[in-house]
Amino acid sequence: MDNPSRYEFTTVDGHVSFLVPGFVPTEEFHEELETIARDLYEVDNSTRIVMFGSTMKLSHLNNGRSLLTLVIFYVLAPYTSSYALFTVVMILSCLPLCILSIPVTLFMIGAVLQSRLDFFTLLLTYTLWQ
């Protein structure tokens, strides 16, 4: 009979553990994961369980590997950098509208107030079309 705590990461082509090295547990942590999974899903001891997992509280059982490292470097960093890039792109796309809105707004205020703009209209025309 196979030892239920022994686990192998194999597929038809070979090992798959290299795909998720941060989630391959140590023997000690695998025993903890196995206990939790057996209690949670009510699995008997004769069934072999293969698990991948990480932890934040029990990193001492998992050779110091913590889920916090994964969250910071593989989730939070790319998210914030892409969000910053998106913000910069939005600002740069709105910049021409902001630049053009200044002379148009001044011209509209002058037109609504029916004030004489005199040479100011030349300045507005110049700044509007430059």
Side-chain angles (χ1 to χ4, degrees):
M1 181 177 182
D2 238 0
N3 184 359
S5 65
R6 185 172 171 257
Y7 56 97
E8 296 176 10
F9 306 103
T10 58
T11 61
V12 177
D13 298 327
H15 292 282
V16 296
S17 61
F18 71 93
L19 296 173
V20 284
F23 289 106
V24 177
T26 60
E27 283 290 333
E28 298 85 22
F29 186 57
H30 184 269
E31 291 172 5
E32 185 70 27
L33 284 177
E34 187 174 359
T35 303
I36 293 169
R38 287 189 190 281
D39 291 342
L40 182 66
Y41 297 111
E42 299 174 356
V43 177
D44 60 346
N45 287 335
S46 64
T47 306
R48 183 171 165 233
I49 299 177
V50 177
M51 289 177 291
F52 295 98
S54 189
T55 181
M56 288 175 59
K57 294 181 180 179
L58 302 173
S59 62
H60 61 281
L61 293 178
N62 203 20
N63 285 342
R65 291 180 294 181
S66 174
L67 189 61
L68 192 59
T69 306
L70 178 79
V71 168
I72 290 173
F73 293 109
Y74 296 109
V75 175
L76 197 60
Y79 175 77
T80 54
S81 62
S82 64
Y83 187 74
L85 179 66
F86 176 74
T87 306
V88 168
V89 168
M90 290 304 295
I91 289 172
L92 289 177
S93 65
C94 291
L95 189 62
L97 295 174
C98 295
I99 291 172
L100 286 177
S101 67
I102 296 170
V104 170
T105 303
L106 292 175
F107 181 77
M108 293 304 291
I109 290 172
V112 169
L113 296 177
Q114 295 180 353
S115 61
R116 292 185 55 191
L117 297 175
D118 295 332
F119 288 110
F120 190 64
T121 56
L122 293 174
L123 180 62
L124 283 175
T125 305
Y126 176 75
T127 57
L128 184 61
W129 295 109
Q130 281 298 334

